[in-house]
Amino acid sequence: MLKTTALKITTVLTLLMAISSCVPKKKLVYLQPPAEAGEKAGQIFEYDRADYRLQINDILDVQVRSMNSEANGLFNNSAGNAGNRQMQVGVQGGGDIYYMTGYSINDSGQVELPVIGKLLVEGLTIYEAKKKIESAVARYFSKFYLKVQLGGIRYAALGEFRNPGKFVVLQNQLTIFEAISNAGDMTDLASRNDITIIRQYPNGTRIHKINLLDQSIIRSPFYFIQPNDVIYAEPLKQKTYGLGVNGAQTITTVISVISTSLALYLALARI
């Protein structure tokens, strides 16, 4: 009778804990359509993307090409085969190659270029910074080619990621899902509908909340990562249970714990 009662209690507790602790599918699937199914298959989502404005500690990749090879060597940190080899090694090693070959914006908002000197670029878009640098270079060359771009997009991913850390992506733009993929995707215990984006602005830092389960995220200004963004994925409450992500894991854990407890109880009952 005691064993039968204990078995019933074990079964009921196992089912209840499995149901309450496992993570439902709706909390794992990205880009879900709204409940009213207002979104149509193949629909085009318009971006809400403002031009990025340069900030202190950003790194610019500035290259000048002219008919004067000697002057080119002065202007370009990564000119020639040696620079190309250095960049290839940096990419293969996962390093921040532009930290060595690019030009950092200092605490005064200036970038210091060879020959030209210091130029105030903080708060400018890449296009505006290029025009300003172009005007300065034009004092030395009548004909030249100028390239100005961000030396990669730097961001950090922390919390419930499979591979959290700091990353540098050598692209002109990066979506939130590319950034997540680069960090190994989120774990099954990540709260995908309550992701924190810590973003820097010229006047300070702001904290934003986004929902990656809702496909309307594509329309938001946070669909594209900006340099120096921090992405934080907080855990679901299921993590505090310590039982398992899905029902099978939970049942296995609960049965193991209860079986051990029951065996100990029966052993003590014989004493």
Side-chain angles (χ1 to χ4, degrees):
M1 182 66 179
L2 179 62
K3 291 183 178 180
T4 302
T5 302
L7 180 60
K8 290 180 178 179
I9 294 174
T10 300
T11 302
V12 172
L13 287 175
T14 300
L15 292 174
L16 289 175
M17 296 180 77
I19 292 172
S20 63
S21 64
C22 61
V23 180
K25 181 181 178 181
K26 66 179 182 179
K27 291 189 176 182
L28 298 174
V29 180
Y30 295 117
L31 299 174
Q32 299 175 37
E36 62 273 15
E39 307 293 354
K40 300 178 181 178
Q43 178 180 354
I44 299 297
F45 292 88
E46 295 183 359
Y47 297 142
D48 179 10
R49 177 176 54 184
D51 290 333
Y52 177 70
R53 295 193 174 274
L54 296 172
Q55 302 175 30
I56 293 172
N57 293 326
D58 278 346
I59 299 177
L60 290 179
D61 175 29
V62 181
Q63 296 184 33
V64 180
R65 292 287 184 268
S66 71
M67 298 300 293
N68 189 329
S69 58
E70 183 177 346
N72 291 341
L74 292 175
F75 274 103
N76 303 307
N77 279 342
S78 58
N81 293 330
N84 291 334
R85 285 197 298 270
Q86 181 182 2
M87 292 181 71
Q88 291 171 2
V89 171
V91 170
Q92 293 171 0
D96 191 342
I97 59 174
Y98 285 109
Y99 180 78
M100 300 300 295
T101 64
Y103 300 95
S104 297
I105 299 176
N106 62 26
D107 291 340
S108 299
Q110 299 173 321
V111 61
E112 186 172 4
L113 301 174
V115 181
I116 293 175
K118 296 180 180 179
L119 295 175
L120 183 63
V121 295
E122 181 186 10
L124 301 181
T125 65
I126 292 294
Y127 174 78
E128 291 168 344
K130 181 178 180 180
K131 297 299 289 184
K132 191 167 190 175
I133 296 172
E134 188 175 59
S135 297
V137 174
R139 298 200 300 265
Y140 300 92
F141 305 105
S142 57
K143 294 182 179 181
F144 61 90
Y145 164 77
L146 173 66
K147 182 176 80 171
V148 178
Q149 63 182 17
L150 274 174
I153 299 176
R154 291 156 186 78
Y155 73 96
L158 54 94
E160 289 296 321
F161 287 92
R162 301 186 194 281
N163 182 30
K166 295 178 66 177
F167 302 91
V168 181
V169 179
L170 304 184
Q171 297 177 190
N172 292 325
Q173 67 179 28
L174 184 72
T175 69
I176 182 70
F177 292 104
E178 289 176 309
I180 291 170
S181 175
N182 202 41
D185 200 358
M186 296 180 183
T187 69
D188 290 340
L189 291 172
S191 182
R192 289 166 169 76
N193 66 335
D194 193 23
I195 300 299
T196 300
I197 299 288
I198 304 173
R199 177 163 292 181
Q200 295 184 23
Y201 294 89
N203 59 346
T205 299
R206 296 179 188 173
I207 296 177
H208 305 277
K209 293 287 188 177
I210 62 173
N211 181 4
L212 297 178
L213 302 182
D214 187 347
Q215 62 184 213
S216 64
I217 182 67
I218 299 176
R219 295 195 187 98
S220 83
F222 309 106
Y223 182 63
F224 289 96
I225 289 296
Q226 290 191 4
N228 309 310
D229 274 357
V230 176
I231 310 170
Y232 171 60
E234 66 179 62
L236 291 167
K237 62 181 181 180
Q238 279 84 350
K239 185 171 184 177
T240 61
Y241 299 158
L243 296 174
V245 175
N246 52 49
Q249 293 177 351
T250 301
I251 290 173
T252 300
T253 303
V254 172
I255 288 177
S256 176
V257 172
I258 294 181
S259 297
T260 302
S261 301
L262 182 59
L264 179 61
Y265 172 77
L266 293 175
L268 293 174
R270 297 192 187 100
I271 298 176

